[in-house]
Amino acid sequence: MKTIALMLCGTAAFAADPHLMPLPASYTPSGGRLAIDQGFRVALGGYREPRLEKAAARVIDRLARQTGMPLPGSLSKDATTATLVMETREGSAIVQRLGEDESYDLTITTRQARITAVNPLGILRGMETFLQLVDQDPKGWGVAAATIRDSPRFPWRGFSFDVSRHFMPVEVVKRTLDGMAAVKLNVLHWHLSDDQGFRVECEKYPKIQELASDGLYYTKDEIRDVIWYARDRGIRVVPEFDIPGHSTALLTAYPELGTLPGPYRIERKWGVFDPTLDPTKEEVYTFLDGFIHEMAELFPDQFFHVGGDEVNGEQWKTEHVQSFMKAHGLKDQGEFHRYFNSRVQPIVAKYAKRMMGWDEILAPGLPKDIVIQSWRGQKSLAEAARLGYSGILSAPYYLDLMHPAAEHYLADPLNEDTKSLTPEQRARILGGEAAMWSEYASPENVDSRDWPRLAAIAERFWSPQNVRDVESMYRRMETTSRWLDTLGLTHLSNYRVMLQRLAGDGPVEAVRTVADLVEPIKGYTREQTVNYTQQSPLNRLVDTARPESIPAREFNLAVGNGTMDHARLRQTLVAWRDNHIALDPMIRQREILSEVQPLSAALTEAATIGLAALDSIEGASPKPDASWIARSKASLAEAKKRKGDLVLMIVPGIESLVERAAAH
Ligand code: ACM
C-alpha cells in the first residue's frame, strides 16, 4: 500500500494531509464520511478490562465536550451497530514493558469505525487517532472514511519532566500525561530530585520531605495515583533521582552523605553546583540501598534513572577523596564516578531494575543492560550503541532552550553519527526523550513551553523516518495545538490569562500584538540578564511569549516568498506601526511592562521601514536612494538584536521588503 506519509513529501499532496500528529505509518482515504451524532455508541470487542472501559468512557466524554452534543455515557453491547468498535485479543503486561506491541489498525467506513490491536496499548493509540480525526463539515461532526495501519518507529518515546526547579502539582503532571497520550508518547521520565528540591515522600528517610522539599513534594499515594493514571493511558513512569551531583537538596536533609561536612541549604539559583555525595563512604551506599529499595517498590517500571550528569568534581578535590582514589587506582574524576556507579548499579539490580543515567555514566565495565540517555550530543549515543549499551537521544529535544519546532523535528535519533553502526548496534537506539528543565517554567506557563512543540517531537519518535516535510508539520501542529488545549492543556488558554495580567485594566490587544511577535532568547542565555532565583515570579513578557512565534514565522515566509497580499501586508504593517500609540501609556504606568518598551519601539521602527519599502515597491514613492537603504538596514539590524530576554522576530520579513524595494 502506498502511504500518505510518503505522498506528503511531495508538495502537491496538501489536500490529502490528514490533520494528525503524529502521522500514521499509512493512511489511505476511502471516500465518504462517518457521521458522529447523538446516536454515537462505543463497543468493546474481544478481550475486556477496566482500562479499556475507562478508555471508552473517555472517548465519549471527549467527544461530548468537543461536539457539544450530549452523548449516552454507557458502553454499547452491540458491536454490529456501535459507531466505534475497539477490539483486542489479550491484555498487555501488568507493568507496561519497553517494546510491547503498540500497533493498531483503524478502519473507518461510512457506517462504522473499528480499531483492532493485539493488546490494549494499540487500542489506546488508535483511539487517539480516531479522536484527532473528528472534525466538523457543513453537514456536521464526523470522521473521513479511511484505512489506517499504524505502529511506532521507536519503542521509547519519552518526555523528561523536571519538577525540582519548580514544583509541578499533580494536576499539571496529569494534564501533561493527557497530552502525551494524545500524541502517542509512552514514557514519563519524572526528574524528581535536584539541587533545588527533592519531590518525593520517603518513609525510611523522612527528612527528605521534611527538609529538602519546602513542603512541595508528592506523597506516595499521589505518586501511585499518577502511575495508575499514566498506565490507563499506556504510559510508563520512570523516576529519576539525580546522584551523585545535583544533590544539594538531599544533602540539606542528610549532610552526612556529602563529600564535605556542610551544612547545606536548598539551592535557589540555577546552574551546576559543588555539593556531591561522597563515594568513599560506605554509609552512602547503605543509604542508597534503603532509598532505592523503597522507591523501587513505589515505581513499578523496569527502569530506574540515577542521573549522573554534571558532576563538577570540586568537592572531590578534597584530601580524603584524593587518597581514596590513589589507594583504589582511580586515576581521575571519570574513573572515580565510574567507581560510584559500579557500586550503585548492583543496588539498582538487586531491586530488579535496569539502571539508566545521563551520558556521563557511560564507562567501560558497567553491565550491558544499563541505558544511556544522551544529552550532550548525538555522538555519545552512537558510541554507547557501539559498546553494546542501549540508549535514547535527548540532546536535540530540550524544549526549555526555546528552539523552533522544526529544529527539534528534523533531529533524528538515527542520524549521521549512527550511519556506521551495524543493524544490531542501531537497534540499541531505543528512541528519544524530549526534556523540560523547569528553571523558567511554572505550573502556569509550563504547557506553553512544552506544547505544541512536544507534539512535533512525538511525531519524530512515532512516524516513519521519511516523514520530514516541515511545512506539513507546522500546518498539522497548529491544528493539533488547538485540539490539545481543548483537551485540558493550557498553552493557549493561559497565554490569554498571562497577557491580561500584563495589561491590567489596559487594552490587552496592544500587549498581545508585541507578545505574538517576540520570542524568549534561546539556549542557556537567560541567566545573563537578571539574577534569577527559584522565587523570581515567572509572570513577565518573556514568560508569556511563546518559544516560537508562529505569526512571525508565517509573516517572514509569506513576505520572503512574495505570497502575501499587498493590501493585507499594508494593513498589518500599519497596525504594527501604530500599536505603540496604544501601548506606550500602559508601559509608562506599569513597571511589569518596562521590558516591552524597546521591543514595541523596534516594532514601530521596523513597520515604518516596511511601509516605506512597500510604497516604493508599489510605485507610490520613488525608488529609495542608497542612503535610505543603508540607514534602514542598520535600523533593522538593531531591531532584531536581543532586547533583555526577548527578540523581535518579524525583522527578516521587513528586510526582504527593503531588498525588493532596492532591487525593483
Ligand atoms: C542535563 O541536562 N544536565 C541532563
Side-chain angles (χ1 to χ4, degrees):
M1 195 185 327
K2 187 99 180 136
T3 72
I4 286 291
L6 288 171
M7 288 159 61
L8 285 171
C9 297
T11 46
F14 291 168
D17 189 347
H19 44 84
L20 283 172
M21 181 165 265
L23 275 179
S26 100
Y27 176 93
T28 311
S30 50
R33 204 171 148 79
L34 173 67
I36 293 184
D37 55 27
Q38 286 191 356
F40 183 85
R41 298 283 184 283
V42 189
L44 294 174
Y47 169 82
R48 288 177 82 121
E49 61 173 26
R51 176 164 60 164
L52 287 169
E53 283 160 17
K54 283 191 265 179
R58 285 204 303 281
V59 169
I60 292 164
D61 178 57
R62 282 167 58 180
L63 277 179
R65 270 208 284 167
Q66 181 176 354
T67 63
M69 290 186 278
L71 296 174
S74 59
L75 269 178
S76 167
K77 293 202 173 21
D78 185 355
T80 53
T81 60
T83 327
L84 173 65
V85 180
M86 308 202 289
E87 181 168 348
T88 183
R89 288 203 294 267
E90 61 193 29
S92 58
I94 298 292
V95 176
Q96 190 176 324
R97 294 185 71 81
L98 171 68
E100 275 188 273
D101 196 320
E102 298 174 83
S103 65
Y104 68 93
D105 288 350
L106 167 58
T107 308
I108 304 156
T109 68
T110 52
R111 219 185 51 75
Q112 190 174 64
R114 177 174 284 265
I115 305 170
T116 51
V118 173
N119 71 49
L121 295 175
I123 297 293
L124 294 169
R125 307 297 173 237
M127 173 187 124
E128 294 294 343
T129 304
F130 174 80
L131 286 168
Q132 205 176 145
L133 284 169
V134 172
D135 65 4
Q136 201 171 18
D137 78 356
K139 292 208 197 109
W141 291 97
V143 185
T147 303
I148 294 166
R149 291 181 195 289
D150 202 8
S151 57
R153 181 171 165 223
F154 291 109
W156 192 302
R157 305 180 307 280
F159 173 58
S160 171
F161 198 12
D162 170 16
V163 297
S164 171
R165 272 44 173 257
H166 282 102
F167 181 66
M168 300 291 166
V170 166
E171 91 185 51
V172 178
V173 179
K174 285 189 172 176
R175 71 181 189 234
T176 302
L177 287 164
D178 288 335
M180 289 173 65
V183 297
K184 303 181 174 63
L185 291 170
N186 68 356
V187 183
L188 173 68
H189 165 173
W190 212 353
H191 183 83
L192 286 160
S193 79
D194 216 298
D195 298 299
Q196 294 83 359
F198 211 103
R199 305 299 182 195
V200 67
E201 176 187 17
C202 179
E203 284 167 63
K204 191 171 174 82
Y205 300 111
K207 281 197 271 179
I208 285 181
Q209 60 270 22
E210 287 161 14
L211 299 177
S213 75
D214 296 312
L216 299 171
Y217 65 94
Y218 308 105
T219 64
K220 291 175 81 172
D221 279 343
E222 285 173 326
I223 298 262
R224 288 185 197 101
D225 179 40
V226 166
I227 291 168
W228 276 103
Y229 193 89
R231 182 181 189 275
D232 274 346
R233 285 153 184 77
I235 298 173
R236 299 166 38 218
V237 178
V238 175
E240 179 189 348
F241 301 100
D242 206 344
I243 49 172
H246 284 288
S247 54
T248 312
L250 178 60
L251 294 179
T252 302
Y254 295 95
E256 61 273 25
L257 306 176
T259 305
L260 297 182
Y264 296 90
R265 289 282 165 268
I266 296 176
E267 183 57 59
R268 302 300 175 193
K269 295 193 174 147
W270 314 137
V272 176
F273 301 98
D274 297 349
T276 310
L277 301 191
D278 188 343
T280 73
K281 285 184 190 155
E282 282 309 309
E283 66 198 271
V284 165
Y285 304 106
T286 309
F287 174 93
L288 289 175
D289 191 304
F291 177 75
I292 291 172
H293 185 188
E294 188 172 329
M295 292 302 125
E297 281 180 353
L298 180 60
F299 290 92
D301 198 77
Q302 188 191 3
F303 293 84
F304 195 93
H305 203 304
V306 299
D309 56 318
E310 296 184 309
V311 179
N312 74 5
E314 280 305 311
Q315 289 200 337
W316 289 350
K317 290 176 182 158
T318 194
E319 199 181 320
H320 79 273
V321 170
Q322 292 298 318
S323 39
F324 181 95
M325 285 168 65
K326 209 169 277 164
H328 288 75
L330 305 168
K331 66 176 189 309
D332 57 22
Q333 183 192 320
E335 292 201 357
F336 188 50
H337 191 181
R338 178 175 55 80
Y339 165 79
F340 175 72
N341 287 327
S342 76
R343 297 290 310 271
V344 174
Q345 189 278 330
I347 299 173
V348 174
K350 180 164 118 190
Y351 298 111
K353 305 289 182 188
R354 284 178 69 176
M355 186 168 99
M356 239 184 123
W358 298 102
D359 40 12
E360 285 95 329
I361 74 162
L362 180 62
L366 285 172
K368 295 291 194 253
D369 76 336
I370 67 167
V371 174
I372 304 297
Q373 179 165 14
S374 155
W375 77 276
R376 292 189 299 187
Q378 307 208 4
K379 280 195 167 40
S380 60
L381 186 63
E383 180 60 16
R386 220 184 306 277
L387 292 171
Y389 295 99
S390 298
I392 57 174
L393 182 66
S394 272
Y397 309 120
Y398 270 31
L399 292 164
D400 53 302
L401 301 186
M402 307 282 168
H403 292 298
E407 206 176 305
H408 297 305
Y409 183 66
L410 292 174
D412 199 296
L414 293 176
N415 69 338
E416 288 301 312
D417 292 316
T418 63
K419 281 243 163 75
S420 61
L421 299 179
T422 65
E424 192 193 352
Q425 290 167 343
R426 212 168 303 159
R428 297 192 185 117
I429 294 173
L430 304 172
E433 275 188 7
M436 171 47 59
W437 302 100
S438 63
E439 283 90 344
Y440 302 107
S442 67
E444 184 177 50
N445 78 350
V446 68
D447 291 1
S448 74
R449 276 61 199 127
D450 294 340
W451 306 98
R453 293 176 302 153
L454 185 49
I457 298 173
E459 175 158 294
R460 175 59 46 235
F461 298 158
W462 176 279
S463 303
Q465 185 166 23
N466 63 4
V467 175
R468 291 177 67 80
D469 182 322
V470 165
E471 292 310 315
S472 163
M473 179 275 283
Y474 275 108
R475 273 194 305 279
R476 290 178 294 106
M477 191 175 77
E478 277 298 281
T479 323
T480 304
S481 179
R482 287 193 292 275
W483 179 66
L484 289 168
D485 198 73
T486 64
L487 198 67
L489 288 163
T490 64
H491 54 291
L492 301 181
S493 32
N494 276 0
Y495 184 55
R496 293 189 274 274
V497 172
M498 294 181 77
L499 285 172
Q500 189 64 63
R501 185 188 301 122
L502 284 171
D505 293 333
V508 72
E509 275 315 311
V511 181
R512 181 172 187 141
T513 300
V514 176
D516 275 352
L517 304 176
V518 296
E519 291 177 9
I521 46 174
K522 316 287 164 198
Y524 297 104
T525 46
R526 200 168 154 181
E527 282 88 353
Q528 294 163 3
T529 46
V530 178
N531 213 353
Y532 287 99
T533 74
Q534 199 173 31
Q535 278 84 23
S536 308
L538 298 175
N539 62 353
R540 291 158 43 211
L541 182 65
V542 61
D543 307 301
T544 307
R546 273 77 71 93
E548 178 170 25
S549 163
I550 297 296
R553 180 179 185 277
E554 289 177 349
F555 174 81
N556 291 334
L557 266 180
V559 176
N561 62 27
T563 54
M564 192 158 172
D565 168 71
H566 276 200
R568 216 184 113 220
L569 175 56
R570 180 173 297 280
Q571 196 181 22
T572 301
L573 293 171
V574 167
W576 289 351
R577 181 194 63 194
D578 297 344
N579 191 63
H580 195 62
I581 298 168
L583 193 50
D584 195 47
M586 293 165 69
I587 293 173
R588 286 170 199 280
Q589 276 176 20
R590 296 177 63 73
E591 170 61 27
I592 197 171
L593 289 177
S594 56
E595 71 184 334
V596 185
Q597 154 64 32
L599 296 153
S600 179
L603 180 61
T604 295
E605 173 73 6
T608 305
I609 293 170
L611 282 164
L614 187 58
D615 284 344
S616 163
I617 293 165
E618 290 186 330
S621 64
K623 182 174 156 69
D625 62 25
S627 99
W628 182 85
I629 292 168
R631 268 186 288 120
S632 298
K633 284 186 176 174
S635 291
L636 292 175
E638 283 302 314
K640 70 177 169 191
K641 278 193 189 150
R642 162 183 185 169
K643 295 179 176 46
D645 287 340
L646 288 146
V647 181
L648 178 65
M649 299 307 294
I650 47 82
V651 179
I654 308 282
E655 285 174 331
S656 65
L657 280 178
V658 171
E659 293 295 344
R660 261 165 52 210
H664 84 99

